[in-house]
Amino acid sequence: MFNHIFESNHKRKIVVELDERYFDKKSLMYAVVQHFTNEGKQCEMIDVNTLLLEGKKYYVYETNVAATYCPPVQRAVLTEI
């Protein structure tokens, strides 16, 4: 997994590209929390749509990116609330 960080209009957006596929939101959220915990960041799940990362709340949704010669890539997008 790896992540990209974007900032615009003082709101932060983090995109986490996942190595595995998750078919339910709860499993996806646990994977994202584990990813940030492994990076040494303080992260916890508030509910199935909200994370607390380093003291800031983020709304989480998933996207899938289709590729021509490989399976689709699943991403978790965190938008600062």
Side-chain angles (χ1 to χ4, degrees), residues 24-78:
D24 63 281
K25 185 75 178 257
K26 201 171 195 178
S27 297
L28 177 108
M29 293 291 280
Y30 284 130
V32 172
V33 168
Q34 189 64 42
H35 169 71
F36 286 115
T37 302
N38 290 344
E39 286 190 343
K41 297 182 179 177
Q42 186 178 6
C43 184
E44 63 183 82
M45 185 170 79
I46 296 173
D47 59 36
V48 293
N49 295 312
T50 313
L51 285 181
L52 188 63
L53 176 62
E54 297 288 309
K56 295 182 180 179
K57 284 186 181 181
Y58 289 87
Y59 174 75
V60 181
Y61 63 95
E62 100 175 80
T63 63
N64 291 290
V65 179
T68 306
Y69 297 105
C70 59
V73 175
Q74 188 176 32
R75 292 181 177 168
V77 180
L78 290 72

